[in-house]
Amino acid sequence: MAKKKQDSIDKIVAWGCQLLHLDRHTKMFQQLAKFVIVGCTNTAINWAIYFGLVHFADVAPLVASAIAFAISTVFNYWASTTWVFDTTSKKTRCRLFVEFTVFNGFAFLTFDEGLLWFLIYPLGWNYMLAKVVTTACGMVFNFITRKMFLEDSNALKAKLTKNRRKKR
């Protein structure tokens, strides 16, 4: 894919990295900032759809949750592949979407359901504290898997090599 043009988030993060002498990590922090923005937006979309379906359309909560998850996953895929990550040109859009959906679904079942249940019931944690922990775990998992499977590893290696040559 073509190199993405820097936007205001990229510029702000680059400025912060330069200020803190973290220039070599600028790209990662730019992606992380965008990932957090997309994640917060995705969460808001998911919760709004869920709330609207349950309270206004009288849809059962589990059905509403599945619908909200499906719609927010489509948004999250679009935002992640167009704004956050430099997607690989070696995979089709369909394959990228399937991989994205599988990992997103795995994170949903593992963290939003499994870990949340474990922290609340067997361990007796407060439900809101448990939700914060599971959301953070899911975020880390999603960032790592999306970086591994969405991004073009050859382009990333070329960028790292180019950066190393500049420093010499």
Side-chain angles (χ1 to χ4, degrees), residues 153-164:
S153 61
N154 290 332
L156 186 60
K157 287 176 189 174
K159 287 178 193 176
L160 291 173
T161 303
K162 183 179 175 183
N163 287 342
R164 287 185 189 132

Side-chain angles (χ1 to χ4, degrees), residues 19-95:
L19 186 68
L20 297 171
H21 304 289
L22 297 170
D23 295 330
R24 10 183 279 188
H25 304 291
T26 300
K27 174 73 173 165
M28 180 67 74
F29 283 117
Q30 288 169 330
Q31 283 184 320
L32 189 57
K34 290 178 177 183
F35 181 79
V36 169
I37 292 167
V38 168
C40 290
T41 304
N42 185 63
T43 300
I45 289 168
N46 186 301
W47 289 356
I49 292 168
Y50 176 77
F51 179 80
L53 289 172
V54 171
H55 290 285
F56 299 118
D58 201 28
V59 174
L62 291 177
V63 173
S65 179
I67 293 168
F69 172 76
I71 293 170
S72 64
T73 295
V74 171
F75 163 78
N76 202 323
Y77 169 77
W78 171 80
S80 292
T81 58
T82 59
W83 193 48
V84 180
F85 297 105
D86 295 324
T87 55
T88 179
S89 58
K90 294 180 179 180
K91 297 178 185 176
T92 65
R93 285 294 211 193
C94 182
R95 180 173 171 187

Side-chain angles (χ1 to χ4, degrees), residues 57-148:
D58 201 28
V59 174
L62 291 177
V63 173
S65 179
I67 293 168
F69 172 76
I71 293 170
S72 64
T73 295
V74 171
F75 163 78
N76 202 323
Y77 169 77
W78 171 80
S80 292
T81 58
T82 59
W83 193 48
V84 180
F85 297 105
D86 295 324
T87 55
T88 179
S89 58
K90 294 180 179 180
K91 297 178 185 176
T92 65
R93 285 294 211 193
C94 182
R95 180 173 171 187
L96 284 174
F97 183 73
V98 168
E99 288 176 357
F100 183 91
T101 304
V102 166
F103 284 111
N104 209 34
F106 179 79
F108 173 73
L109 291 173
T110 303
F111 300 112
D112 286 356
E113 297 297 318
L115 185 58
L116 188 66
W117 173 86
F118 181 74
L119 293 175
I120 293 171
Y121 297 106
L123 297 183
W125 284 30
N126 172 280
Y127 71 96
M128 286 308 297
L129 177 60
K131 185 64 174 169
V132 169
V133 169
T134 60
T135 299
C137 289
M139 182 187 86
V140 170
F141 174 82
N142 283 334
F143 184 77
I144 291 168
T145 57
R146 288 176 189 160
K147 188 148 184 66
M148 286 171 43

